[in-house]
Amino acid sequence: MVFVSSPLPDPPRRGRPARAAQSERTPLSRERIVDAAMAIVDAGGLDALSMRSVAQALGTGPASLYAHIADKDELLALLIERVAGELELPEPDPERWQEQLKAMVRATHYGLLAHRDLARAGLANIPLGEGALRFSDRMIEIMRSGGLPGQVVAYGCDLLPLYAVATAYEQALYAERMTTEEGERYIAEIGEYFAALPADRFPNIVALAGPLVAGGGEGERFEFGLDVLVAGLAAYGRGGW
Amino acid sequence: MVFVSSPLPDPPRRGRPARAAQSERTPLSRERIVDAAMAIVDAGGLDALSMRSVAQALGTGPASLYAHIADKDELLALLIERVAGELELPEPDPERWQEQLKAMVRATHYGLLAHRDLARAGLANIPLGEGALRFSDRMIEIMRSGGLPGQVVAYGCDLLPLYAVATAYEQALYAERMTTEEGERYIAEIGEYFAALPADRFPNIVALAGPLVAGGGEGERFEFGLDVLVAGLAAYGRGGW
DNA sequence: ACCTGAACACCGTTCAAGT
DNA sequence: ACCTGAACACCGTTCAAGT
């Protein structure tokens, strides 16, 4: 009876919409949830991410997600963890430890910015997953190779990622709110606003109006802070200032 | 006809609840809205702040607020601006410019923390109100008095408040989620977790487990970063490194 | 164990209508 | 000009019920 065992497509069912591909039929998992969530963030920013939008992308209802993740906060932590796990780690070279340290901070900063305003969720948790730990371990190793004392290394391990995330946070907010062009116009307008302020009450802002909004764009501003931090840490390693 | 002009209390009206005091009868204004919003944040944290909770505190409905403020983002900006306006500014003394700079960063950090987790709203806007401008003007003046070049002053004016806010942001999140005691226990647990990690895969974290979670509490951690930043800026002033 | 529909208790914002 | 009630289009999370 060949007919019996031959595979047949599911008969159409009334009131049930056809589902796209089989992906929506495979069982839910943390990984699939994080995949869908990241795709939503990449497409529409963090505001587009909701338990409901993730559920919809997976062809189910929001309640189903709670069998796999505790709450939305955990989902955000998993997204951050995923970014951390994808960052490239330099092979330690003691000769170049400061430059390598900077490379790790840049990787974090731009790695976050690659996912719209995901950085907004980056200050909320100490990431303790596998990827974040590998990142931290490497960062410690590189600072150690520069001869920094233990407590400086420990604090530096907090301070540098804090800087990477906070700057990405700020930049991402503006990137979400306006185009690059609009952003440049906005910065220019602030410059004019500063210059037009009453000089008797805000003499220092008026005098510095140009440089306050200038510097070669966000990149240079970011690099300046990075220089200050890494050089500051290095100075501690040489025995204070 | 004396009776006619004699003042009478309003007759009781059916279906209209008595209102507490007269405050709810005075007309709405930005200031009253910000007052009410700040009181809500101080009492219940940023999560307790909604257009609805503010309206309720003012004895009206949420729609009424929109005659005075554009949206919730503007309300948050006004709250940050209020904090900025209340920060104490040091009288510039060129002999002590680095210490004064630190005092301004500390004032910002702890000024934010005085309002629960309001710092969570502090990275979203460049505050351009009167109070924020006075603060910035003074900060520029003090950095200038230390002989720092213009572009360093300009960048520093961004970098230092960013540090003050980002650290307050992080700390406030934990303060909202747990008591000081629970926080200490959590930190201790992370320390144990670090120490118990497989030493072959995370040798540097394991080796540094103690210092990573130690250092005399948040205050010392904050001061460390502040030292690094101010000393780093000062080094730029002396002609780079 | 995993998934679901429905509900609960909220949001920010808009808008026509009132004064 | 200022304020309001009601509605719109959402939220995160819970829970009893299903398989």
Side-chain angles (χ1 to χ4, degrees):
Chain A
M1 295 297 254
V2 174
F3 298 115
V4 169
S5 57
S6 78
L8 289 175
D10 283 334
R13 298 197 212 175
R14 298 224 294 144
R16 195 133 176 274
R19 310 209 145 180
Q22 65 156 18
S23 74
E24 298 180 8
R25 291 206 146 283
T26 62
L28 283 181
S29 68
R30 295 189 136 222
E31 214 201 332
R32 288 190 67 224
I33 291 171
V34 174
D35 286 346
M38 191 67 92
I40 288 167
V41 171
D42 289 346
L46 210 53
D47 283 341
L49 182 74
S50 68
M51 299 302 277
R52 289 171 137 91
S53 65
V54 172
Q56 192 178 47
L58 294 167
T60 182
S64 302
L65 306 178
Y66 288 87
H68 299 90
I69 57 171
D71 51 26
K72 196 185 178 184
D73 273 353
E74 190 182 19
L75 178 54
L76 293 173
L78 290 171
L79 289 169
I80 295 297
E81 173 62 28
R82 168 158 304 184
V83 173
E86 286 171 354
L87 301 181
E88 217 179 303
L89 307 182
E91 282 310 312
D93 171 2
E95 299 293 303
R96 302 176 53 248
W97 73 274
Q98 290 187 234
E99 194 48 50
Q100 293 193 314
L101 212 48
K102 288 183 189 176
M104 292 189 81
V105 178
R106 285 187 203 108
T108 305
H109 178 84
Y110 292 107
L112 284 167
L113 286 179
H115 299 280
R116 303 279 293 254
D117 54 348
L118 180 59
R120 280 169 57 200
L123 288 175
N125 295 93
I126 306 175
L128 295 174
E130 167 109 21
L133 290 179
R134 292 203 322 134
F135 184 91
S136 292
D137 200 76
R138 184 60 55 85
M139 186 169 259
I140 295 169
E141 186 177 357
I142 289 174
M143 293 179 89
R144 272 298 198 196
S145 81
L148 300 187
Q151 194 59 62
V152 172
V153 171
Y155 283 151
C157 249
D158 247 30
L159 184 57
L160 293 177
L162 176 75
Y163 178 69
V165 178
T167 49
Y169 188 123
E170 271 197 322
Q171 275 180 242
L173 280 180
Y174 288 99
E176 287 299 312
R177 287 209 274 242
M178 43 189 130
T179 65
T180 311
E181 248 175 56
E182 287 166 344
E184 279 166 14
R185 179 184 297 270
Y186 178 61
I187 295 293
E189 274 169 19
I190 291 181
E192 288 163 29
Y193 174 69
F194 283 163
L197 247 24
D200 53 326
R201 299 183 51 215
F202 306 107
N204 299 286
I205 292 178
V206 172
L208 205 65
L212 277 173
V213 297
E218 282 303 331
E220 195 174 305
R221 209 176 202 85
F222 172 71
E223 289 294 327
F224 173 82
L226 189 50
D227 279 348
V228 167
L229 286 169
V230 173
L233 289 170
Y236 248 118
R238 290 192 300 270
W241 29 68
Chain B
M1 295 298 253
V2 173
F3 297 117
V4 171
S5 59
S6 77
L8 289 177
D10 284 335
R13 298 196 212 174
R14 298 227 292 145
R16 194 133 176 279
R19 311 209 145 183
Q22 66 154 18
S23 75
E24 299 181 10
R25 293 203 145 286
T26 61
L28 283 182
S29 67
R30 294 188 138 223
E31 213 200 333
R32 287 190 66 223
I33 291 171
V34 174
D35 287 346
M38 192 67 93
I40 287 168
V41 171
D42 289 346
L46 210 54
D47 283 341
L49 181 74
S50 68
M51 299 301 277
R52 289 170 137 92
S53 64
V54 172
Q56 190 178 47
L58 293 167
T60 182
S64 301
L65 305 178
Y66 289 85
H68 299 91
I69 57 171
D71 51 25
K72 196 185 176 184
D73 274 352
E74 189 181 22
L75 177 55
L76 291 173
L78 291 170
L79 288 170
I80 295 296
E81 173 62 29
R82 168 158 303 184
V83 172
E86 285 171 353
L87 301 180
E88 217 178 303
L89 308 182
E91 281 310 312
D93 171 1
E95 301 290 304
R96 302 178 51 249
W97 73 274
Q98 291 189 233
E99 193 48 50
Q100 291 192 316
L101 212 47
K102 289 183 188 176
M104 290 188 81
V105 178
R106 285 187 203 110
T108 305
H109 178 84
Y110 292 107
L112 284 167
L113 285 179
H115 299 280
R116 302 280 292 256
D117 54 349
L118 179 59
R120 282 169 56 199
L123 288 175
N125 295 93
I126 305 174
L128 294 174
E130 167 108 22
L133 291 179
R134 293 205 319 134
F135 184 91
S136 293
D137 199 76
R138 184 60 55 85
M139 186 169 259
I140 295 169
E141 185 176 357
I142 289 174
M143 292 179 89
R144 273 297 198 196
S145 81
L148 300 187
Q151 194 59 62
V152 172
V153 171
Y155 283 151
C157 249
D158 247 30
L159 184 58
L160 293 176
L162 176 76
Y163 178 69
V165 178
T167 50
Y169 189 123
E170 271 198 320
Q171 276 180 240
L173 279 181
Y174 289 99
E176 286 299 309
R177 287 209 274 241
M178 41 190 131
T179 65
T180 311
E181 248 175 58
E182 287 165 345
E184 280 166 13
R185 178 182 300 268
Y186 178 61
I187 295 291
E189 273 169 19
I190 292 180
E192 289 163 28
Y193 174 70
F194 283 162
L197 246 25
D200 54 326
R201 300 182 52 215
F202 306 108
N204 299 286
I205 293 179
V206 172
L208 205 64
L212 278 173
V213 297
E218 281 305 330
E220 195 175 303
R221 207 173 204 88
F222 173 72
E223 288 295 327
F224 172 81
L226 189 50
D227 278 349
V228 168
L229 286 168
V230 172
L233 290 170
Y236 250 125
R238 289 193 299 272
W241 28 68

